[in-house]
Amino acid sequence: MTTLAPTLSSRYFPRTTDWVRGLFLIIMGSLFVALLAQIEIPLPFTPVPITGQTLGVLLVGALLGSKRGAAALALYLAEGGLGLPFFAGGASGLGILTGATAGYLVGFVGAAYAVGWLAEQGLERSVRTSVIPFLVGTVIIYVCGAVWLSVVLGSVEQAVALGVVPFLLGDALKLMLAAALLPGAWKLTQN
């Protein structure tokens, strides 16, 4: 099975070669996450802000598929690491890729791949199953983020208290939004 973005790009740009369409989708995916990263709410008690990035990661993975989704997030990390103001709140540079939020950023690549792979199995097409890929992606982001944050803070308990618990409700809402959007988008494309 294919995912939504390659399906639509093939339909609307049939004369364009596959590799050009794929490259375009990867670049657009990285820019989409960069745009959502600008939605940032710093929390005074934790080095991890609330951002729109996680929603972007989930959607990019589901829309582009495993390989293109992971490539889009790897490109996003490279863009931000090289100095483009693409990380949360316009931050950039290698310091972000080694700071307190580095685990979450690295987790984005794995999460996009996993969500994309599950989407390639068709799980994002039905309201009954669409939560599964997004839940898996969210867990991957949390695990990677909390593991690195526990190294930075020197405590697993603190990492969970400051890097997971404050974000559960917001990420549940993002997950539900993504799970509601994709089946609806597929239905619109079938008309």
Side-chain angles (χ1 to χ4, degrees):
M1 273 189 185
T2 185
T3 54
L4 188 59
T7 300
L8 293 177
S9 69
S10 295
R11 182 183 301 170
Y12 294 112
F13 303 102
R15 292 183 173 185
T16 306
T17 61
D18 286 341
W19 76 268
V20 171
R21 282 195 309 261
L23 181 61
F24 176 76
L25 292 174
I26 289 166
I27 292 168
M28 293 308 293
S30 74
L31 294 176
F32 180 67
V33 174
L35 177 67
L36 289 181
Q38 304 318 302
I39 301 169
E40 178 194 38
I41 303 169
L43 300 175
F45 57 88
T46 176
V48 182
I50 296 172
T51 72
Q53 286 168 304
T54 51
L55 177 60
V57 170
L58 299 177
L59 290 174
V60 165
L63 289 169
L64 301 186
S66 58
K67 293 175 184 163
R68 287 185 188 108
L73 271 297
L75 177 59
Y76 167 74
L77 295 182
E79 291 164 338
L82 291 172
L84 293 173
F86 282 8
F87 295 142
S92 66
L94 294 176
I96 303 297
L97 293 175
T98 59
T101 60
Y104 299 96
L105 293 170
V106 171
F108 289 172
V109 178
Y113 185 89
V115 169
W117 186 84
L118 291 167
E120 290 164 356
Q121 311 312 304
L123 292 176
E124 93 298 6
R125 295 180 183 206
S126 164
V127 173
R128 290 190 329 268
T129 59
S130 64
V131 169
I132 295 168
F134 304 119
L135 180 60
V136 169
T138 301
V139 168
I140 290 169
I141 293 167
Y142 277 150
V143 169
C144 293
V147 165
W148 180 251
L149 190 59
S150 70
V151 171
V152 171
L153 298 176
S155 165
V156 172
E157 294 80 16
Q158 265 196 314
V160 171
L162 299 177
V164 175
V165 174
F167 304 97
L168 291 173
L169 179 60
D171 285 339
L173 294 172
K174 293 175 199 174
L175 184 153
M176 298 308 287
L177 177 62
L181 287 174
L182 266 292
W186 273 108
K187 285 185 180 166
L188 287 175
T189 64
Q190 293 170 355
N191 294 334

